[in-house]
Amino acid sequence: MTRTHPLAELPHPHRLFDLGPHNGAHRVAIRAGISVGTPLLILWSIGHVELALYSTFGAFVSLYGRSHSHVIRARLQSGVAIGMVGAVSVGAAVSLSEQREWLVLPATAAYAAVITGAAQRFGWKPTGALFPVFALSATASIPGSETDALLAAGTAAASAAFALIVGIAGLARPAARDFERRARAAAAPTRPESPRVSEAVGVGLVVGVAGLIPTALGLDYPYWAMVAAAAALATSGPDEQLVRAGHRLTGTIAGVGVAWLIMSVDLPPIVTIAVICVLQMCAELFVVRNYGLALVFVTPLALVMLDFAHPQPDLTLLLARILETAIGVAVVIAAALAWRWAEHPGRRR
């Protein structure tokens, strides 16, 4: 029997280019486009695009339960809505403090652990704490008053409620109602999964460390590092996390190039909203098929949205996205390799 080094069985790089089946992704893309675009149009029409970021966080509810029937999806998305609005609310509360750049680290780490446990307990799909981590950490980075905090939470709640309505709108069709009845009749009863506490705590710690490094270095957007870490940790096991980390970095670099092309043109607000909707729909077409390819659309979506709601220097924003994503990815890779080494300290073949 020969001893195999734990690093000798790492995932093959070709996995970065695997492409999964379509599986009706266009339906999810349409729901996501409507859920994101409609609140943005309303905010633009009433002259409050500064709230656009919070409405988008609420609209992220539409990304969950893509393969579920209408009623089951509505039930799942209701729980997600509580998590997303809670993330915006906590982030808005942190933003009131002058020490927000440090307070956001333990707040996001703790919330990531709680959401990871909730996702396991209630079977959220997609899994993990990616979107709540993004919502909390990005909201916390925007200084504001108590009124601003209430508006942020209220906007996210209204947008999430609209996304829930979009998610069940298909029941207006008789064919959809018939399918719903058949799906419920055929569904086998399932027992809720118990949260894996150690895993949830581990996610919180890794997300916290990912944010601590750029904060200590004085970088401007530490939440990109936390988001990158949360995204890679949303899969199970170190091998899958390594693949997801590779997807996150390569997709982000390509996506920043797309964002630069879009942001280099002075687009009217209505065109920017249309671009955001198209990017969101394209992301949903590929996110299950190949996460790295989806990041080519997700990255400019996040950057254009952030710049739309709170304009800032384009080059600084773009370079920070790459640098701080790389930090988050590096932390996850280190954690995944350490976990792999701990699991197989003397593995034999």
Side-chain angles (χ1 to χ4, degrees), residues 61-154:
V61 168
S62 65
L63 309 183
Y64 286 78
R66 61 190 296 136
S67 60
H68 292 65
S69 64
H70 291 80
V71 174
I72 296 176
R73 180 169 60 240
R75 200 174 296 145
L76 182 149
Q77 289 181 345
S78 296
V80 174
I82 295 172
M84 291 302 300
V85 175
V88 172
S89 301
V90 173
V94 171
S95 74
L96 301 177
S97 172
E98 294 182 357
Q99 303 300 319
R100 57 184 167 273
E101 64 177 320
W102 292 103
L103 287 178
V104 69
L105 300 178
T108 304
Y111 204 79
V114 170
I115 290 295
T116 298
Q120 294 169 352
R121 172 67 174 76
F122 298 108
W124 291 359
K125 300 292 181 182
T127 59
L130 166 59
F131 296 114
V133 163
F134 185 16
L136 194 160
S137 55
T139 299
S141 71
I142 303 169
S145 64
E146 293 181 4
T147 301
D148 295 328
L150 292 174
L151 283 172

Side-chain angles (χ1 to χ4, degrees), residues 105 108 130 133-134 137 203 206-215 217 219-233 248 252 320-332:
L105 300 178
T108 304
L130 166 59
V133 163
F134 185 16
S137 55
V203 168
V206 173
V207 168
V209 170
L212 176 62
I213 294 173
T215 301
L217 293 175
L219 302 180
D220 293 328
Y221 305 94
Y223 55 82
W224 292 132
M226 291 189 279
V227 168
L233 293 171
R248 189 79 194 184
T252 293
R321 177 64 191 257
I322 294 176
L323 173 60
E324 296 178 37
T325 294
I327 292 173
V329 165
V331 171
V332 169

